[in-house]
Amino acid sequence: MKISKRVRRGYALALACLLTLPCLSMMRTQAAAAIEVDRICSLTVSAADSGYAGDFDEMTILVSLYRVAGVDTAGRYTPEAPFSKMDFTDIGSSTTADDWQKFAGQAEECLKEQKEDAPVEVKTVEVKKSEGEASATGTFSNLKTGMYLVVPKETENAKKTVRYSFTPYLTALPASEYAAAGTGSDEWDYNPTIGLKAEGEELTGSLVIRKTLENYNASLGAMTCVFQVEGHDENGVLAYSNVVGLTLTGAGDANAQTAKLTGIPAGLTVTVTEVYAGGSYEVKGDAVQKTVILSDGLVGDGEPASVSFTNSYDGGNRGGYGVTNHFESDGKNGWTWENPTPPVVEENE
């Protein structure tokens, strides 16, 4: 049974701490004091409350920051180039989180349309866990007050098993607890901390099984060997299972055959067992081999994990040609035969 690709999606997370995405409109009416527009600010991006902190603590996430608009003492925003076509005049108590997400999308479009001879200023920081810190963080320093677009870069985890994508969003400097959540202090915070809004997609890889014969008895005709493939995760739980057959009609490298299995969850430790060596043939060397599945296109030159087996004619007169059948449980104590897309079989490898 082949387990389908597991995808972890839909885990969009609430932004941590002082994220101002849906609540910037409150600033005009709820602030305790006027904004000190000339004050220097900082902005810290934290992965502590992301829900993926275990992975993020082992990663380096590059985050870009763009100043979208200036702000006056009353909290009114004036867009700056190349975001000048954006209009914030209708911001009010009815402005929703979806509205702010649309603003963020507009800001991204403005970036794409910017002229090469007038590039927008961008600051970047690495969000990563440093020695002695509780979680991965990165801090932008020497920032002006105003509205900013935060754009984290898509990043794979350290094991190259999950690719994380991040939702760009708008945040404001300064911020306040009340502006962010509608409760708490309305004092301006010129050095706020915000979180990451992420989705994780499990990556997959491939496995190549290569078969070679040391010698071959042509009088017996084609021979078929069969492999059981099982993949276990880091906790030893079976997460992938398949059966592969290869048919050979000659000896040596020129007649070698390979099967390529795709869509296997990256990071699994795969055990390949030659459960049938073909009539009148025997396995030379190990009949059981293990390897770790690598993410397609992300490791080295993108070469997949592979194992190789060699058989030799044992002097018998039993033919060994056959076919490989696949069966799936119907969940009701019964089994049904299925005819899945077979693995890619490559000749003369």
Side-chain angles (χ1 to χ4, degrees):
M1 179 179 68
K2 181 177 179 181
I3 307 300
S4 61
K5 177 182 179 182
R6 300 171 297 168
V7 179
R8 296 186 293 176
R9 288 193 177 278
Y11 293 89
L13 309 173
L15 298 179
C17 304
L18 301 176
L19 176 58
T20 60
L21 180 61
C23 304
L24 292 173
S25 59
M26 294 182 184
M27 291 185 177
R28 295 184 183 177
T29 59
Q30 302 296 343
I35 294 175
E36 299 177 44
V37 294
D38 295 326
R39 186 163 171 177
I40 298 301
C41 307
S42 70
L43 179 66
T44 297
V45 181
S46 172
D49 298 325
S50 65
Y52 300 105
D55 264 357
F56 289 173
D57 284 349
E58 298 177 353
M59 297 165 55
T60 297
I61 305 167
L62 185 65
V63 180
S64 297
L65 188 69
Y66 303 87
R67 190 168 186 260
V68 173
V71 63
D72 65 16
T73 58
R76 291 183 291 261
Y77 295 94
T78 302
E80 297 189 347
F83 308 99
S84 55
K85 72 177 184 180
M86 297 184 68
D87 185 1
F88 299 108
T89 56
D90 292 333
I91 292 175
S93 59
S94 61
T95 304
T96 66
D98 287 341
D99 292 332
W100 280 112
Q101 198 60 62
K102 291 178 181 178
F103 276 125
Q106 292 174 15
E108 281 195 289
E109 288 301 316
C110 290
L111 285 178
K112 295 177 183 179
E113 296 171 2
Q114 66 176 310
K115 297 180 180 179
E116 294 184 1
D117 59 350
V120 64
E121 181 180 355
V122 56
K123 294 179 179 289
T124 59
V125 72
E126 292 181 342
V127 175
K128 61 183 179 180
K129 186 176 182 179
S130 301
E131 185 176 354
E133 291 188 352
S135 62
T137 60
T139 299
F140 294 95
S141 303
N142 299 317
L143 300 176
K144 298 178 181 179
T145 56
M147 187 185 300
Y148 287 84
L149 176 67
V150 182
V151 185
K153 184 179 181 180
E154 187 178 82
T155 311
E156 290 80 34
N157 65 349
K159 296 179 181 179
K160 304 296 184 182
T161 59
V162 179
R163 178 184 293 116
Y164 290 100
S165 57
F166 303 89
T167 303
Y169 55 88
L170 293 171
T171 191
L173 295 176
S176 78
E177 292 180 5
Y178 194 94
T183 60
S185 173
D186 61 358
E187 295 295 325
W188 291 121
D189 183 357
Y190 292 83
N191 304 285
T193 297
I194 61 175
L196 292 169
K197 188 176 182 180
E199 290 184 355
E201 176 187 2
E202 186 173 87
L203 298 172
T204 62
S206 304
L207 171 68
V208 173
I209 302 173
R210 187 175 193 272
K211 186 66 175 182
T212 307
L213 295 179
E214 283 189 348
N215 44 50
Y216 175 72
N217 186 335
S219 65
L220 297 178
M223 64 83 68
T224 296
C225 50
V226 180
F227 302 91
Q228 175 71 42
V229 183
E230 294 187 340
H232 293 80
D233 63 19
E234 58 187 5
N235 297 315
V237 177
L238 180 66
Y240 179 90
S241 182
N242 209 343
V243 176
V244 181
L246 282 173
T247 298
L248 290 86
T249 57
D253 290 340
N255 293 290
Q257 294 286 305
T258 62
K260 185 176 182 180
L261 300 174
T262 61
I264 305 174
L268 294 188
T269 297
V270 173
T271 301
V272 184
T273 304
E274 187 166 0
V275 293
Y276 177 66
S280 300
Y281 290 85
E282 60 183 359
V283 180
K284 306 294 290 186
D286 294 331
V288 180
Q289 296 186 36
K290 293 186 177 182
T291 187
V292 176
I293 300 301
L294 309 176
S295 305
D296 287 334
L298 292 179
V299 179
D301 296 325
E303 292 295 325
S306 62
V307 292
S308 296
F309 295 82
T310 302
N311 285 17
S312 179
Y313 174 58
D314 66 4
N317 59 3
R318 294 172 289 108
Y321 179 76
V323 295
T324 303
N325 289 308
H326 293 251
F327 295 88
E328 290 283 349
S329 172
D330 62 9
K332 300 178 181 179
N333 299 318
W335 295 81
T336 57
W337 178 81
E338 66 163 2
N339 186 22
T341 302
V344 178
V345 178
E346 303 171 354
E347 300 184 4
N348 303 326
E349 288 292 318

